[in-house]
Amino acid sequence: LEQVFLNIITNALVAVDDGGQITISTRQKAIDSVEVSIKDNGCGMTRATLDHIFEPFFTTKKNYGTGLGLSITHGIVSKLGGKLYVNSKEGEGTTFYVSLPVNTKFPGDE
């Protein structure tokens, strides 16, 4: 999960200008899931960009970046039984949502 949040927050930092804002919040989405949202007021993404952001090697960073961060992030969240989705509007910002199942059983529980 550290890698998941590091990738999303790093992208948010690139998207916001000096004085930009990144907001991280959590909520219980359902009895068996939690959701973390990471919202920025940066440049946002076009529909064309949104259509490809989880594809390996897709990047909007011209001189750096491998295009693997969000692809890896999506894979990690999926392997944990969760979902990763995004809302973005060009010129207004982006919000990533990480929805994860809650394990209600603890070691030793029957």
Side-chain angles (χ1 to χ4, degrees):
L1 286 177
E2 181 180 343
Q3 187 66 51
V4 166
F5 297 121
L6 180 65
N7 286 343
I8 296 170
I9 293 167
T10 298
N11 284 347
L13 288 169
V14 170
V16 297
D17 292 326
D18 287 343
Q21 187 172 5
I22 299 170
T23 305
I24 301 169
S25 59
T26 61
R27 70 180 181 117
Q28 186 170 355
K29 189 173 178 184
I31 191 93
D32 60 349
S33 68
V34 295
E35 181 179 82
V36 178
S37 65
I38 302 163
K39 179 180 183 177
D40 69 63
N41 64 348
C43 58
M45 292 181 267
T46 65
R47 180 79 244 158
T49 297
L50 283 170
D51 289 343
H52 299 284
I53 60 170
F54 298 125
E55 294 175 7
F57 306 110
F58 176 80
T59 183
T60 59
K61 298 170 185 147
K62 301 299 179 200
N63 297 322
Y64 64 98
T66 61
L68 292 174
L70 289 177
S71 175
I72 290 169
T73 297
H74 188 270
I76 292 169
V77 172
S78 293
K79 284 186 181 183
L80 293 172
K83 294 183 180 175
L84 176 64
Y85 51 105
V86 60
N87 287 329
S88 186
K89 189 167 184 183
E90 193 172 13
E92 294 184 18
T94 301
T95 305
F96 277 88
Y97 301 91
V98 180
S99 180
L100 296 166
V102 174
N103 182 357
T104 59
K105 294 189 180 196
F106 295 94
D109 284 352
E110 295 293 325

